[in-house]
Amino acid sequence: MNPRATWSLPTRHLGRRVLVFDRVDSTNTLAAQLAADPANAGTVILADEQLAGRGQHGRSWVCPPGAGVLLSVLLFPPPALRRPVVLTSWAAVAVCETIRELTALEARIKWPNDVLLEDRKVCGILIEQGKGTVVGIGLNVNQSAESFAAAGLTLAGSLALWTGQPLDRSAAARRLIECLDREYDFLCRGDLDRLRAAWKQRTGLVGREVVVKALDQTYLGLLRELSWDNVELQLPEGNVLCLRPETVKHVELVS
Ligand code: BTN
């Protein structure tokens, strides 16, 4: 299968080769197939349409042809950056920056990997690690409210629903790649604090009453700390519960 176009962006780590397809099964699958050759590090796959787009927890990712940015990047990160929580934070923060640069809107991050405008999900992230690391991003750009309703996606949103007019998807994809590259460069130079702070600020949950859905059970309490190493919750009885982020499925504000 041949790409419709190939871009070469003046970036440092990812996007120096961008393969743009009309239609693929899943951009993540295609990126993973390139992992056999380390020379493909940083290659980005973009597609107008996915026939079998994948989401979290075995779900599918649905996006009408030409409505969203469907992007996967293949990376071989150094060990310090290989943790899914770090990679997810990196991608989520870069998506928020992209949204700000494109629309002047401030998005927030819903633990662990959704990007929201108000309470609507505008982006999902799927990290898959095998021979290499594939970071897949689905950003809803031009979907209408009707198309979400028809797909039964009652809590989804697209950027165009806020801007009131369609956005240039190629420009959005390019901006996203540039933001990912910029933030990845900080990480590669050992600066993880910048990302930690941006991620914490965008999650906006510390000090609030939250519901924490862990692998074993659900807890209600006051969130005292949310970091890549620790989710600390003060329970109603007063004792403090510390959870590893890997064991936490969701942290949400009490509504
Ligand atoms: C989620 O469930 O929130 C994660 C969705 C991730 C979707 C993106 S679209 C591009 C890439 N290719 C896929 O098959 N999935 C990811």
Side-chain angles (χ1 to χ4, degrees):
M1 190 185 12
N2 289 323
R4 174 182 79 226
T6 303
W7 305 346
S8 181
L9 303 182
T11 41
R12 281 155 288 199
H13 305 277
L14 55 119
R16 298 183 73 84
R17 187 167 70 130
V18 181
L19 306 177
V20 187
F21 293 86
D22 290 329
R23 184 184 298 125
V24 298
D25 280 345
S26 155
T27 54
N28 265 32
T29 305
L30 206 51
Q33 285 165 359
L34 300 178
D37 184 354
N40 290 323
T43 297
V44 172
I45 308 288
L46 285 175
D48 290 344
E49 183 181 2
Q50 294 186 124
L51 298 175
R54 292 201 299 280
Q56 286 285 320
H57 311 298
R59 291 192 283 260
S60 53
W61 183 257
V62 178
C63 177
V69 171
L70 304 168
L71 174 154
S72 298
V73 57
L74 172 68
L75 294 169
F76 296 94
L81 305 183
R82 254 175 236 158
R83 286 180 67 193
V85 67
V86 176
L87 292 165
T88 306
S89 303
W90 158 65
V93 165
V95 168
C96 291
E97 293 291 321
T98 305
I99 292 174
R100 186 188 5 218
E101 291 179 19
L102 292 173
T103 67
L105 295 163
E106 295 297 341
R108 70 182 175 90
I109 298 170
K110 181 175 156 205
W111 171 286
N113 56 4
D114 294 345
V115 177
L116 309 185
L117 280 173
E118 295 171 17
D119 277 337
R120 294 197 169 261
K121 176 167 170 172
V122 293
C123 174
I125 296 160
L126 180 66
I127 313 271
E128 294 181 307
Q129 288 180 303
K131 231 178 171 25
T133 294
V134 174
V135 179
I137 300 175
L139 175 62
N140 296 336
V141 180
N142 287 330
Q143 287 96 325
S144 62
E146 292 72 27
S147 85
F148 286 128
L153 298 170
T154 49
L155 295 174
S158 70
L159 303 187
L161 291 179
W162 269 266
T163 58
Q165 55 196 13
L167 283 86
D168 178 337
R169 255 180 346 112
S170 292
R174 187 183 164 133
R175 187 56 66 90
L176 175 56
I177 295 166
E178 287 165 350
C179 284
L180 287 164
D181 184 66
R182 190 172 67 212
E183 298 300 324
Y184 196 69
D185 189 54
F186 282 108
L187 297 179
C188 288
R189 287 192 275 126
D191 181 355
L192 276 74
D193 287 346
R194 179 190 148 94
L195 175 63
R196 245 188 224 107
W199 173 77
K200 196 164 175 174
Q201 190 242 325
R202 295 265 184 198
T203 55
L205 292 171
V206 175
R208 314 279 298 269
E209 287 289 332
V210 295
V211 179
V212 173
K213 198 162 176 209
L215 294 178
D216 55 348
Q217 66 181 95
T218 299
Y219 304 93
L220 185 80
L222 180 78
L223 190 68
R224 294 189 3 159
E225 174 63 309
L226 181 65
S227 74
W228 294 339
D229 302 307
N230 195 17
V231 177
E232 204 176 286
L233 192 68
Q234 183 164 351
L235 300 173
E237 317 80 74
N239 43 336
V240 174
L241 179 74
C242 294
L243 298 163
R244 295 275 309 157
E246 285 78 10
T247 67
V248 173
K249 281 163 57 181
H250 288 293
V251 184
E252 278 171 43
L253 280 179
V254 174
S255 45

